[in-house]
């Protein structure tokens, strides 16, 4: 049975997708993420193109910001909402930061449909597989169907 998000969770996931749209509008790849911990919201967006940084993914940028602001205990109790399933690099950053729960909209496999044939291939490695290799459990909820999450990628990768 698919996970049913609460109204607050839907709002948080929509916020991450809105950040992806803002990232695209700034000239970066269309990815966005937020972390919610005890009422604190930290935002992250993609900066790969504008900062010429291949590690500037929304989730890695978010982990850097969140780790500077939150305690390890807050990170362990947090949920990360992201517009698209975290790649292997981002999953590693999320794991090392101690985040315990991920909610994502667009699956990596769906992203691959947008990027196929372009210069930006995806890494066919679901985040669940990366997390499964770790020594602690990270709850993963997704993909959560969202037309808006797919729309922010439409026409970008071609």
């Amino acid at each position: 049975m698919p996970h049913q998000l609460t109204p607050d969770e839907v709002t948080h996931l929509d916020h991450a997708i809105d950040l992806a749209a803002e990232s695209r509008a700034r000239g970066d790849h269309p990815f966005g993420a937020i972390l919610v911990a005890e009422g604190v919201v930290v935002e992250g967006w993609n900066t790969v193109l504008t900062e010429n940084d291949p590690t500037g993914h929304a989730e890695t940028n978010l982990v850097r910001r969140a780790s500077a602001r939150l305690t390890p205990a807050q990170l362990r109790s947090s949920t990360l909402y992201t517009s698209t399933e975290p790649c292997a690099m981002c999953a590693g950053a999320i794991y090392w930061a101690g985040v315990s729960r991920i909610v994502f909209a667009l699956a990596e496999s769906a992203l691959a449909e947008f990027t196929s044939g372009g210069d930006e291939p995806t890494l066919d490695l679901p985040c669940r597989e990366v997390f499964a290799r770790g020594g602690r459990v990270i709850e993963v909820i997704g993909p959560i169907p969202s037309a808006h999450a797919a729309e922010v990628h439409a026409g970008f990768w071609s």
Side-chain angles (χ1 to χ4, degrees), residues 30-41:
F31 300 99
I34 69 165
L35 186 123
V36 179
E38 300 172 11
V40 176
V41 176

Side-chain angles (χ1 to χ4, degrees), residues 34-35 42 59 85 103 106:
I34 69 165
L35 186 123
V42 182
E59 296 90 348
E85 181 174 4
V103 179
L106 191 70

Side-chain angles (χ1 to χ4, degrees), residues 37-157:
E38 300 172 11
V40 176
V41 176
V42 182
E43 298 178 340
W45 49 89
N46 189 282
T47 57
V48 167
L49 299 175
T50 56
E51 294 184 10
N52 195 30
D53 177 3
T55 68
H57 291 196
E59 296 90 348
T60 55
N61 288 336
L62 173 63
V63 164
R64 287 182 196 107
R65 286 184 188 98
S67 295
R69 287 185 55 193
L70 303 172
T71 67
Q74 287 174 305
L75 288 167
R76 283 191 300 275
S77 69
S78 69
T79 299
L80 190 150
Y81 298 87
T82 183
S83 61
T84 306
E85 181 174 4
C87 72
M89 176 184 68
C90 292
I94 291 164
Y95 177 84
W96 292 118
V99 174
S100 60
R101 187 168 181 260
I102 309 294
V103 179
F104 69 88
L106 191 70
E108 185 281 330
S109 57
L111 175 63
E113 293 176 23
F114 286 103
T115 63
S116 66
D119 293 336
E120 299 286 337
T122 63
L123 189 59
D124 186 13
L125 183 59
C127 68
R128 284 178 174 89
E129 290 184 35
V130 175
F131 296 141
R133 302 296 179 144
R136 63 184 177 78
V137 174
I138 298 177
E139 181 183 9
V140 178
I141 300 167
I144 303 296
S146 166
H148 187 45
E151 287 170 3
V152 297
H153 292 278
F156 181 84
W157 303 100

